[in-house]
Amino acid sequence: TTAAKNTTANKTTTTKKTTTAKKTVTTAAKTTAAPQTTKAAVYAAPVIYGTYASGTTVYTGSTASIDASMTSDGYIIVRDYGSAAKAVVQVTGGGITNQYNLTPGAAYITIPLSMGSGTYTVNVLEQIEGTSYAYALSQSIYAGLSSQFAPFLRPNVYVNYNGSSSCVLKSAEICTGCDTQLAKVSAVYKYVVNNFKYNDTQAASSKSGYIRDLNYIFSVKTRICYDYAAIMTAMLRSQGIPTKMVFGN
């Protein structure tokens, strides 16, 4: 018996592997710049150091009085309530005498103690006739200033201003945006020299010791050097910058 041998050849099937390359797409991020904003300049608000007669330390004569309550802040306040046509105040300190006109019967005037800490002699004199004057009050006063700059930060009889004065408001306007005191000084100086004109007629007729109306001077913008100095002093003091007026030829 012959057994039939059934042989089946093994068939090998090869499967082709297909590889698909991955495509990478890179999209650049789009950057949008933030809108530019301008920082608003900080308003240079006026700094007004007021003066007042508190009545704590008062020296009184028959027709005049001196309020020395605020000497630490660099000033005294004087009044004459007599009937003389004219009166003057002489303030002597450090060997220097300054004289101020005083209208009898009017309100107090503020007088600076410009020579710093020390002893001052204050004389109030009333006119008898012509150039003859008599003492209404004479007083020695000691002043211990809280700061050497105290007398140069406040309004007084020759630089009389307040928060609503025209020159003070203009100073606040032109100093807005100034980052330093020096920048403010420069801005005020340029404003004054570029907007005020010297008045030769006024110079010829001007009398010493007259009281300045800063609002009027600011409106006309034509006066003498003394008036320029008073305007600039008020503009700088109202920005908190100590400023001394210097008198002389």
Side-chain angles (χ1 to χ4, degrees), residues 2 14 23 31 90 92 106 131 147 158 167 182 195 224 236 249:
T2 304
T14 302
K23 186 177 181 181
T31 304
Q90 294 177 339
T92 303
T131 57
S147 165
Y158 281 159
C167 61
L182 186 58
N195 289 276
I224 61 175
L236 292 176
N249 297 322

Side-chain angles (χ1 to χ4, degrees), residues 9-79:
N10 290 332
K11 186 177 181 181
T12 303
T13 303
T14 302
T15 304
K16 187 177 181 181
K17 187 176 181 182
T18 302
T19 304
T20 304
K22 293 182 179 180
K23 186 177 181 181
T24 303
V25 179
T26 304
T27 303
K30 185 177 181 181
T31 304
T32 303
Q36 294 294 324
T37 57
T38 302
K39 186 178 180 181
V42 178
Y43 177 62
V47 179
I48 308 297
Y49 294 93
T51 59
Y52 58 97
S54 69
T56 303
T57 304
V58 180
Y59 304 98
T60 304
S62 58
T63 56
S65 66
I66 302 167
D67 191 312
S69 306
M70 306 303 293
T71 54
S72 62
D73 284 337
Y75 67 91
I76 57 175
I77 292 183
V78 182
R79 184 185 180 192

Side-chain angles (χ1 to χ4, degrees), residues 2 5 8 15 17 26 59 77 79 98 105 121 129 137 152 170 178-179 186 188-189 192 214 217 219 221 226 237-238:
T2 304
K5 187 177 181 182
T8 304
T15 304
K17 187 176 181 182
T26 304
Y59 304 98
I77 292 183
R79 184 185 180 192
N98 292 313
T121 299
E129 62 177 358
L137 177 61
F152 314 119
K170 175 56 72 172
C178 294
D179 297 328
S186 178
V188 170
Y189 171 78
V192 172
L214 295 190
I217 296 170
S219 67
K221 292 183 174 61
Y226 197 161
R237 287 185 184 180
S238 67

